[in-house]
Amino acid sequence: MRLGLNLGYQTAWSTPADHLALAQEADRLGYSVVWAAEAYGSDSPSTLAWIAGQTQRLDVGAAVMQIPARTPAATAMTAATIDALSGGRFRLGLGVSGPQVSEGWHGVRFAKPLGRTREFVDIVKLAVARKEVAYDGEHYTLPLPDGPGKALRLGFHPPREHIPIYLAAVGPKNLELAGEIADGWLAVFYAPEFADEHLAAVAAGRAKAGKELAGFDVVPSVPVVIGDDVASCAELVRWYAALYVGGMGSRTQNFYNQLATRMGYGDAAREVQDLYLAKRQRDAAAAVPMEFIDRTSLLGPKERVAERMREYAASGVTTLSVTLFVADRDSGVQTLRTVAEALDLSGVGE
């Protein structure tokens, strides 16, 4: 199992300099990849291009570039360009986002996300491989019919004909699609105890493509808090869990709430959502079960984190990407070092 670092977004309490310092420390420590996210604030490719120019070894990955935000061709251009700038170190994570962001921010209908994702990935692969981009799908038609457009090829030679593609997937059908058309899965709220169901869906998709699960990169983003008291560490993650389970989406379409329900926390998930949507965020955070937080995070002293790492590796994780819940840059750097030490202690690192 390898290590990754998920930087998330730029926020009111982080700076580009903070993120660069953490990425550079991860590079020095031998982490395999650093990921950047986007929603409706900072974008991921700008951050990754900047970091790529100031690191040496680790890959830079989009977790994710939003499918409704760009055309497939524009996404392929960006991916190929960052891959060239970084010397072949880019990983393209894709996701459809959610209805509120897709329709409210990008003005793109959320309907039929699986079909749109499949066609989007098809076109990206054509473009990156410098094949003629001609496509006749339900959602994308290139070139447009009865007009002056013509099928084109990518106008330069990137270092690779295939850039690793990852899908951010939560539901069973999307997991199956990831297994079929992608090289890896970007997971959230991943608990080793519930991994079998998720990976069975991925394996079904791999079988459709005539492939085995071996070689497929399973990449959960896992909150980490180092400290002596596990319960105190969990308190730092509680608000994040409440935001996603309770407020990331509408009452009828919240993929994270549905995931928590499938994991056996249906009653708590409903309570968290009810409280959050009633603008009682503090009560919503308090209602998140400690067990849910602990199972989906790395909490406590280094030795406990190492033991949990063994469980993640045994469940099928190949890249464990940590999300730092820390007060400042120095604490983040120290946490990265402790996580690397924990992986050495666990005996499951590559």
Side-chain angles (χ1 to χ4, degrees), residues 120 152 163 188 196 201 217 236 250 258 282 302 308 337:
F120 196 99
L152 300 171
I163 292 171
V188 65
D196 287 349
D217 200 7
L236 297 179
S250 67
Q258 294 164 11
R282 184 179 298 277
K302 178 171 63 178
R308 286 294 285 165
R337 294 171 182 171

Side-chain angles (χ1 to χ4, degrees), residues 256-279:
Y256 310 101
N257 189 283
Q258 294 164 11
L259 172 61
T261 297
R262 288 196 298 274
M263 291 169 64
Y265 298 98
D267 291 341
R270 281 189 295 274
E271 182 183 6
V272 170
Q273 186 179 62
D274 288 344
L275 291 167
Y276 204 97
L277 295 181
K279 302 189 183 304

